[in-house]
Amino acid sequence: MDAPTYVPGHGLLAGRTAVITAAAGAGIGGATARRFLEEGARIVIGDAHPRRTKETVEALAGEFGADRVDGTSCDVTDEAQVQALYDLAEQRHGGLDVVVNNAGLGGTAELTEMTDEQWDRVIDVTLNGTFRSTRAALRRMRAADRGGVIVNNASVLGWRAQAGQAHYAAAKAGVMALTRCAALEAAPHGIRINAVSPSLAMHPHLAKVTSPELLEELTAREAFGRHAEPWEIANVIVFLASEYSSYMTGETVSVSNQHA
């Protein structure tokens, strides 16, 4: 089955300010940044790669307007850099309405061969980074007292087993649990927190760190016989960030068509 036609924006996020982590490049974060702009949002992006962040901000600002695009390098394992990202959103736009915690790190290693450093690095970026960003966002959203939305990027590996992915799967399962617990704490303040759980969204970085044989095997598991485009995941993130999902919180939405 061929990929569907790209869906145009419908102004679902008009007038809102969104912070998106790991949003420079061709993955889900980059697709989300573009989709949010197409839906009328202002965005502030963070990414651990300074050069790529600068290039992405310049390109999007040239296309959508400099008043709607800001960004700074942000390593989510560094609390000071996380705070700086949110400071930028408040300085430029007076606050924030939506946060997308997209930053994550994968890798492949059998558990018996995995080092403490490999385990710790994946957990620190993928789970602890989501915690740091969520904590910063909630503190500011609660202080502003105008509600808000947080969308976390999990993975079907938070539910399903795959050899060589113990660290990544554990981190993503943690993101799902964090989403549920944080949502209960945030609900009295009118803040919703949900997550997306993609199966296989193809982008250059994934192709670079995954063998062609494994990608072929993973693709074969998909009912449509193809991988997702990053913008297809971003469409669901837009839904969760918009008022179309106003009654949802603490949920993890699977963006997948894997066979049962």
Side-chain angles (χ1 to χ4, degrees):
M1 180 177 177
D2 294 332
T5 303
Y6 193 84
V7 181
H10 291 79
L12 298 181
L13 302 175
R16 299 189 185 184
T17 297
V19 170
I20 308 169
T21 65
I28 293 172
T32 300
R34 174 170 290 277
R35 291 266 43 182
F36 272 41
L37 288 166
E38 292 168 346
E39 294 292 348
R42 299 176 295 268
I43 65 168
V44 179
I45 68 170
D47 198 283
H49 303 275
R51 177 188 56 80
R52 200 164 68 188
T53 303
K54 182 174 182 292
E55 291 173 352
T56 300
V57 169
E58 290 174 351
L60 291 175
E63 186 174 352
F64 293 96
D67 60 327
R68 294 180 58 202
V69 184
D70 288 292
T72 184
S73 57
C74 177
D75 179 345
V76 294
T77 69
D78 185 320
E79 176 66 15
Q81 292 189 36
V82 171
Q83 293 298 331
L85 177 64
Y86 284 99
D87 286 344
L88 180 61
E90 292 190 329
Q91 291 162 6
R92 299 290 175 85
H93 304 292
L96 64 148
D97 304 292
V98 180
V99 171
V100 179
N101 288 315
N102 175 68
L105 179 69
T108 301
E110 292 288 334
L111 192 63
T112 54
E113 306 302 320
M114 190 180 295
T115 65
D116 284 3
E117 289 74 20
Q118 286 174 303
W119 175 273
D120 290 344
R121 179 63 178 162
V122 169
I123 296 294
D124 201 16
V125 173
T126 307
L127 177 56
N128 296 347
T130 301
F131 155 69
R132 292 184 190 96
S133 182
T134 300
R135 179 176 61 186
L138 280 177
R139 285 173 174 171
R140 293 166 193 251
M141 286 176 171
R142 286 175 59 168
D145 195 25
R146 67 185 200 192
V149 180
I150 298 173
V151 184
N152 296 324
N153 191 358
S155 167
V156 294
L157 291 187
W159 292 309
R160 300 168 183 166
Q162 184 174 312
Q165 295 295 312
H167 47 0
Y168 185 73
K172 290 300 190 180
V175 168
M176 293 177 181
L178 171 65
T179 298
R180 292 190 293 269
C181 294
L184 283 182
E185 296 179 14
H189 304 278
I191 301 165
R192 298 189 297 108
I193 307 177
N194 293 291
V196 293
S197 179
S199 54
L200 182 63
M202 186 61 66
H203 52 85
H205 180 68
L206 179 63
K208 200 183 304 182
V209 300
T210 310
S211 70
E213 294 78 17
L214 180 56
L215 289 176
E216 184 177 346
E217 177 189 338
L218 294 174
T219 301
R221 297 179 189 174
E222 301 291 317
F224 292 151
R226 68 170 179 87
H227 57 76
E229 299 295 331
W231 61 263
E232 292 181 281
I233 312 302
N235 284 347
V236 181
I237 294 174
V238 167
F239 162 72
L240 291 174
S242 77
E243 290 306 307
Y244 278 106
S245 60
S246 59
Y247 193 66
M248 293 177 63
T249 197
E251 297 295 330
T252 297
V253 179
S254 180
V255 191
S256 166
N257 60 65
Q258 291 188 342
H259 293 287

